[in-house]
Amino acid sequence: MYRSARVSANSRFLNPWVVFFTVVAVVGIVAMIVGLLIHFLAFDQKSCFYHSNVRVMNVEYNDQLSSPGTQEYRILTERIESMITNAFQQSNLGNQFIRAHVVRLRQEGSNVMADVVMKFRFSRRSNAESMKSRVQSILQQVLNNSGNLEISPSTGITTLTDQDTENMLTQACGVRPDLMTLSAERVIGGTQAEAGDWPWQVSLQVNGAHRCGGVLISNLWVLTAAHCFRSYPNPQQWTATFGVSTRTPRLRVRVRTLSIHNNYTPATHENDIAAVQLERAVTFTRDIHRVCLPAATQSVTPGSTAYVTGWGSLTYGGSTVPYLRQGEVQIISTNVCNSPESYDGAILPGMLCAGLLTGAVDACQGDSGGPLVQEDSRRLWFLVGIVSWGYQCGVPNRPGVYTRVTTYRDWIRQVTGV
């Protein structure tokens, strides 16, 4: 008898329960593998910080190397950082090396001494002394092959705790959280600032109510706008607070003196700058420390990105907000800002425009006196403007107008010593 070649239905289709359990098992195995990878790549890793002094023999120390705002300072520190970075990336510690950062340059005799902090990421099972020895050995090779920089042999490196590193970097100017941890990434997102994002931001208050912004430039001095004091000229009426919230600040300090620019002209907003001396010096912390001041010759390039921060109202005529907000803007050339459709010649040499010509992102009432800052190539933040005036808030072709800090760099030094 002829038997057909029909195949039973059960042999052509797998049991659905078998399929389900197979998929669950595969997913579970994959999840376990991913989990182990994450554990060994992340949780099994620890950050290690080291400090070293690097003496540059063939560069004579001068006043230009005392300020991060000068071109000489930036060029030399970038050369030292690049030299160290290249050496470690090409070594057997290339995968463990994260960053090198020159915290400061100082005078050592007639030479220059650089304080350098380096970050590595090692396995938690690594021997600490062995890792330190490997870092020291490669750093020694760097110094022995430093090209046209004549470097003296290093006297050794010091292991730093996370807190040591933080303490060292908070004494420098213009440091945000990403640089504080020598992170490889830099992120600024959203409109509301987090604690420590803009540690130089100050709220200047009268009777506990926010009136103006300010910016910390030393442990005793705050810069702000002269027009903030037209209604309240008595320094005893003012208090400075620090932190992202004006309701629950991290620190509150009374004001001792107000120094308003002698040639401030309310009608034209010219010379709209003032210096506030605090009653006592503040202790720098992760969340409270100073911004960098630019050199008088530092250029602010039209089209470059800047950030304005403050507790100002979100709409023209509105109320101030309790939590610090941040806005990304662009520097706008004086020629464009002085055009007939914009401010028609009202922008004077000591002023700077920033915003968007389409409107929307802008400083507003309550932001006066606050900072406009830019990041340099070494991820340090510099004060380039102080919120001064503008036509309403966020109106197209009417960007915010700021006091141009480079114009008043000598005045700031004369008044504050900074």
Side-chain angles (χ1 to χ4, degrees):
M1 183 171 62
Y2 178 78
R3 181 174 291 179
S4 70
R6 188 187 307 173
V7 180
S8 71
N10 286 343
S11 65
R12 290 187 307 177
F13 300 100
L14 292 173
N15 187 310
W17 287 107
V18 173
V19 174
F20 172 76
F21 285 117
T22 302
V23 170
V24 169
V26 171
V27 170
I29 292 169
V30 170
M32 183 174 65
I33 292 171
V34 170
L36 288 171
L37 283 172
I38 290 173
H39 173 77
F40 286 112
L41 293 176
F43 296 103
D44 189 50
Q45 301 281 302
K46 62 178 178 180
S47 295
C48 298
F49 297 92
Y50 301 98
H51 169 245
S52 180
N53 294 320
V54 175
R55 186 197 293 266
V56 185
M57 305 290 287
N58 60 337
V59 175
E60 189 170 334
Y61 190 87
N62 60 71
D63 288 342
Q64 294 298 303
L65 296 176
S66 65
S67 168
T70 65
Q71 187 175 4
E72 289 86 347
Y73 186 104
R74 190 174 299 117
I75 289 173
L76 182 56
T77 50
E78 284 182 339
R79 286 174 68 189
I80 295 170
E81 289 167 356
S82 178
M83 178 183 70
I84 294 172
T85 298
N86 290 339
F88 277 107
Q89 286 179 343
Q90 294 167 18
S91 74
N92 56 12
L93 291 181
N95 292 330
Q96 287 77 39
F97 175 79
I98 306 298
R99 279 199 72 196
H101 180 74
V102 175
V103 179
R104 64 169 178 155
L105 299 177
R106 52 191 170 87
Q107 186 171 5
E108 188 81 9
S110 60
N111 301 142
V112 177
M113 186 71 81
D115 285 307
V116 182
V117 176
M118 296 164 287
K119 180 181 181 180
F120 295 80
R121 191 168 287 128
F122 296 122
S123 167
R124 292 186 182 277
R125 294 164 293 167
S126 301
N127 179 277
E129 283 304 314
S130 174
M131 293 302 100
K132 180 180 177 182
S133 178
R134 289 173 65 188
V135 172
Q136 171 68 48
S137 175
I138 294 170
L139 185 61
Q140 192 67 46
Q141 294 172 30
V142 173
L143 303 182
N144 291 337
N145 299 279
S146 52
N148 56 6
L149 276 184
E150 193 178 310
I151 305 292
S152 72
S154 173
T155 55
I157 62 173
T158 305
T159 303
L160 299 175
T161 65
D162 292 358
Q163 189 62 55
D164 291 336
T165 306
E166 183 176 302
N167 292 343
M168 185 175 289
L169 286 166
T170 52
Q171 300 310 306
C173 67
V175 177
R176 292 187 75 242
D178 56 352
L179 184 55
M180 189 84 64
T181 58
L182 269 67
S183 167
E185 300 82 25
R186 60 183 101 182
V187 178
I188 303 173
T191 55
Q192 187 165 301
E194 301 291 336
D197 276 356
W198 309 104
W200 40 81
Q201 176 77 49
V202 179
S203 167
L204 292 172
Q205 303 183 355
V206 175
N207 300 323
H210 172 80
R211 294 287 300 183
C212 276
V215 56
L216 191 66
I217 62 167
S218 77
N219 60 0
L220 267 178
W221 288 95
V222 172
L223 288 182
T224 187
H227 75 260
C228 291
F229 306 108
R230 293 181 66 188
S231 300
Y232 300 93
N234 183 353
Q236 294 180 350
Q237 296 174 288
W238 291 87
T239 302
T241 72
F242 303 83
V244 294
S245 170
T246 55
R247 292 176 179 169
T248 56
R250 290 289 182 94
L251 179 67
R252 192 183 300 273
V253 182
R254 297 190 66 84
V255 168
R256 173 173 291 169
T257 63
L258 304 175
S259 298
I260 298 167
H261 198 289
N262 288 335
N263 296 322
Y264 167 58
T265 309
T268 61
H269 313 286
E270 193 171 12
N271 305 309
D272 190 10
I273 187 170
V276 173
Q277 185 182 29
L278 302 176
E279 192 172 68
R280 60 182 174 87
V282 302
T283 300
F284 291 158
T285 66
R286 181 187 182 89
D287 296 340
I288 304 170
H289 52 268
R290 62 194 171 109
V291 74
C292 291
L293 287 173
T297 54
Q298 186 168 319
S299 62
V300 183
T301 309
S304 59
T305 299
Y307 286 84
V308 59
T309 50
W311 292 274
S313 57
L314 303 182
T315 56
Y316 181 68
S319 301
T320 58
V321 296
Y323 293 99
L324 186 66
R325 293 177 68 85
Q326 60 200 21
E328 181 181 326
V329 294
Q330 287 188 331
I331 303 298
I332 297 170
S333 74
T334 299
N335 286 341
V336 169
C337 213
N338 264 334
S339 64
E341 58 270 21
S342 191
Y343 286 110
D344 197 22
I347 308 303
L348 302 175
M351 300 176 186
L352 177 69
C353 290
L356 301 176
L357 290 177
T358 54
V361 184
D362 194 6
C364 208
Q365 292 126 315
D367 288 323
S368 288
L372 177 74
V373 293
Q374 288 192 304
E375 185 183 32
D376 77 351
S377 57
R378 300 183 59 244
R379 289 163 70 174
L380 295 178
W381 290 82
F382 285 81
L383 181 69
V384 296
I386 295 170
V387 179
S388 180
W389 64 283
Y391 177 75
Q392 296 188 8
C393 312
V395 176
N397 293 314
R398 297 291 195 279
V401 185
Y402 299 77
T403 303
R404 188 184 288 266
V405 173
T406 52
T407 302
Y408 296 94
R409 188 63 188 90
D410 291 339
W411 180 87
I412 294 168
R413 186 178 293 107
Q414 289 167 9
V415 172
T416 69
V418 180

